[in-house]
Amino acid sequence: MPSVTGNGQRWPRVIGHRGAALSAPENTLAGFCMAAALHVRCVEFDVRLTRDGRCILLHDDTLDRTTNGHGPAAASSFEEIRRCDAGSWFGPDFAGQRVPSLEETIELLGRLELGAVIELKPAPGAEAATGRAAAALVAERWPASLPPPLLSSFKPAALAAAREAAPQLERALLVGAVPRDWRRQTEELQCAMLHADQRKLDGAIVSAMVEAGLPVFAYTVNLAERAKELFSWGVGAVFSDCPDRVADGLDTQGI
Ligand code: G3P
Ligand code: MG
């Protein structure tokens, strides 16, 4: 795989989405090991709270799609969620994977030398609590050997709480389509960048943000040709379910 980090920018061009979601179950420790084995340098994952206030990795509000458990994660204790299998749905090789805690994830990232974009994915009503708990934990445990992490969220209240708990951690505002008032929103939340749905981007809006000094990342990009187009508009990095394939397809000269 060609190097995608030799371009002088702090972030690699391709970030593993939920680990490496096409190669291993999303948001699991096996997924991060897979990403590292695929020579990915940075991963994205989703953090939410259990009923008893623990930070866990899970994309959906409910356990049903990615585990053999049922119902809202926010209604179950950490101990109950740990009994769920988070790998079998993906394939028999991953049977026995657990829903990771944020603590053990950070510890593994340190060992794998993987950077991270940590998405705050609160259940409705838990925006501030999620932002506060995750930011405090990351601030306390993030290994000094790793590049600093980035906290992102679709939820302004989660970002505001994260800023209060750990102002030193960089934040990104996550959006679908770029809102007309992107400048005001990112300034108010003191976000260092904006992450947007790649399907909603065009060259003009990316240029406007980059010219204003606001880096833009795009999700979810699984084709190298599309990644190249986004980079040509000024997008700084893409989140990909197949980061190895996208990075392999990039002509890294000049990007
Ligand atoms: O952080 C980028 C991307 O993960 C946002 O969307 O739904 O995959 O968490 P989603
Ligand atoms: Mg996410």
Side-chain angles (χ1 to χ4, degrees):
M1 184 175 80
S3 163
V4 288
T5 52
N7 50 33
Q9 70 166 33
R10 185 195 139 194
W11 293 91
R13 287 290 194 185
V14 186
I15 296 168
H17 186 230
R18 310 182 196 172
L22 280 179
S23 300
E26 64 183 59
N27 288 322
T28 62
L29 299 186
F32 302 132
C33 291
M34 178 66 75
L38 295 173
H39 307 292
V40 169
R41 304 285 304 278
C42 179
V43 289
E44 183 265 2
F45 55 86
D46 306 290
V47 173
R48 61 177 56 248
L49 291 182
T50 63
R51 189 183 67 216
D52 46 346
R54 293 286 302 272
C55 291
I56 56 161
L57 275 58
L58 192 77
H59 179 275
D60 299 1
D61 279 340
T62 61
L63 294 158
D64 298 58
R65 181 178 61 87
T66 56
T67 80
N68 61 354
H70 302 289
S76 298
S77 69
F78 180 67
E79 204 186 306
E80 285 161 353
I81 290 172
R82 289 292 269 194
R83 285 190 220 123
C84 297
D85 184 316
S88 292
W89 69 276
F90 190 89
D93 290 353
F94 298 99
Q97 282 296 305
R98 301 290 151 204
V99 172
S101 67
L102 180 55
E103 294 91 323
E104 69 185 337
T105 300
I106 292 172
E107 198 267 329
L108 179 66
L109 297 180
R111 279 193 280 129
L112 296 174
E113 299 181 29
L114 274 175
V117 176
I118 301 170
E119 184 185 341
L120 309 169
K121 201 74 146 178
E127 290 83 2
T130 306
R132 207 166 27 242
L137 199 54
V138 171
E140 186 193 315
R141 307 240 177 156
W142 194 254
S145 58
L146 291 181
L150 180 68
L151 302 179
S152 71
S153 190
F154 287 103
K155 303 294 180 187
L159 292 168
R163 178 183 57 189
E164 225 175 279
Q168 73 278 22
L169 297 178
E170 243 177 28
R171 294 169 304 282
L173 177 64
L174 251 169
V175 296
V178 177
R180 293 173 77 87
D181 61 347
W182 55 267
R183 198 186 298 258
R184 184 189 61 78
Q185 285 197 45
T186 50
E187 279 176 8
E188 268 181 22
L189 291 161
Q190 294 174 293
C191 283
M193 62 173 89
L194 185 131
H195 297 173
D197 186 335
Q198 58 97 7
R199 295 168 300 183
K200 309 281 173 59
L201 288 173
D202 60 50
I205 188 70
V206 174
S207 299
M209 290 188 285
V210 171
E211 274 167 31
L214 186 71
V216 182
F217 289 4
Y219 68 90
T220 306
V221 180
N222 290 341
L223 294 172
E225 285 310 310
R226 178 60 173 165
K228 283 185 205 173
E229 183 174 40
L230 291 160
F231 295 149
S232 77
W233 294 344
V235 165
V238 296
F239 299 94
S240 180
D241 297 320
C242 48
D244 51 327
R245 216 186 304 157
V246 171
D248 277 348
L250 291 180
D251 167 14
T252 56
Q253 292 214 322
I255 61 167

